[in-house]
Amino acid sequence: MEAKRRSSLRVAMPEGDRPAPEPRRWADVDRYYESALTASDPALEAGLRASEAAGLPPIQVSPLQGKFLHLLARAVGARRILEVGTLGGYSTTWLARALPPDGRLVSLELEPKHAEVARSNLRRAGLSDRVEIRVGPASQGLAALAAERVPPFDLVFLDADKVGYPEYLDGSLRLSRAGTVIVADNVVRGGDVANGATVDPSSLGVRRMTERIAAERRLSATVLQTVGSKGYDGMTVALVVEP
Ligand code: SAH
Ligand code: DHB
Ligand code: MG
């Protein structure tokens, strides 16, 4: 499973397709902690197999990252979770399992095929009653939720196209309350995010989101840089505070 998880963010492989020493060490340590701290999980594993068989890109969060999101949701007592970017529902499953039986997760996904695979995976995991996947551009999904005046979400996980991150941050804030935690995945871009002259659209998306966070009195934020089976990356963690 690990070897198949590929990423455009992964550190370049030297000749012979053997992982460079550092990334190999990161993946080894991920495997060690995964086996030490997470139980074998038939529903999650079947979901990954189904996603792969359906040809979805293997870019879901790692198992340990999924568990981090799960524990964060439990730690904040989340009853309502918003996800932007479903893919095959892997992170969705980790997050939805943190909900009480009457909790709710809404996940926004552009690709109908991804949503279909995710729905099937969530059904297998017994989570269909708690999870609603809405198909369409996340910008529209966020606007629709605001128009519906849904109650605020307790936790938001941003993980769709990085170009959209500034807009998704704004949309999430409108659906938040003081105490809401907003997490954004893939905010390191192989280090390019720190390059003030970058023209990479994804890096620019992350930088613009970061500028908005910095300028927003209702947000206090940090970034966790990470290494592991997905290479080098990181997540922004922002808390909505009383202004
Ligand atoms: N959260 C998933 C991974 C998501 S990958 C996990 O960790 O398991 C990113 C997803 O965002 C893809 O499924 C992609 O189709 C979706 N996406 C890309 N652009 C989008 C947009 N504009 N609106 C909604 N979803 C989008
Ligand atoms: C990739 C990884 C992600 O976690 C994601 O959300 C989008 C893309 C990637 O490795 O390409
Ligand atoms: Mg991601």
Side-chain angles (χ1 to χ4, degrees), residues 51-234:
S51 296
E52 189 187 1
L56 270 52
I59 56 174
Q60 66 282 340
V61 294
S62 72
L64 290 170
Q65 289 171 335
K67 189 164 183 185
F68 168 72
L69 295 171
H70 170 87
L71 292 174
L72 184 63
R74 282 174 61 182
V76 305
R79 307 180 63 83
R80 293 180 50 77
I81 298 174
L82 173 63
E83 177 176 70
V84 180
T86 319
L87 194 63
Y90 184 79
S91 55
T92 322
T93 300
W94 276 110
L95 286 166
R97 283 178 172 172
L99 290 169
D102 61 344
R104 191 128 195 91
L105 186 154
V106 179
S107 190
L108 308 178
E109 172 55 52
L110 179 65
E111 298 292 338
K113 179 176 154 188
H114 296 185
E116 185 190 317
V117 173
R119 285 190 187 114
S120 157
N121 287 340
L122 289 154
R123 201 173 308 121
R124 189 189 300 102
L127 294 165
S128 300
D129 57 333
R130 267 161 264 194
V131 179
E132 179 189 357
I133 297 170
R134 297 188 175 194
V135 179
S139 51
Q140 289 179 20
L142 290 165
L145 287 166
E148 290 164 32
R149 299 180 163 277
V150 297
F153 291 94
D154 308 310
L155 177 70
V156 180
F157 180 49
L158 302 182
D159 197 20
D161 61 297
K162 316 313 168 195
V163 174
Y165 271 18
E167 191 180 352
Y168 306 154
L169 178 80
D170 287 351
S172 301
L173 258 180
R174 280 193 287 274
L175 297 166
S176 296
R177 54 161 175 85
T180 298
V181 177
I182 302 175
V183 178
D185 195 24
N186 313 116
V187 299
V188 169
R189 319 310 309 167
D192 188 53
V193 72
N195 170 14
T198 185
V199 294
D200 177 78
S202 294
S203 297
L204 286 169
V206 172
R207 286 180 66 92
R208 287 176 185 139
M209 175 185 74
T210 306
E211 284 158 20
R212 290 192 193 194
I213 292 173
E216 175 56 68
R217 286 167 59 247
R218 285 172 295 169
L219 285 173
S220 179
T222 190
V223 165
L224 300 172
Q225 292 194 76
T226 58
V227 295
S229 57
K230 287 188 76 178
Y232 167 48
D233 212 331

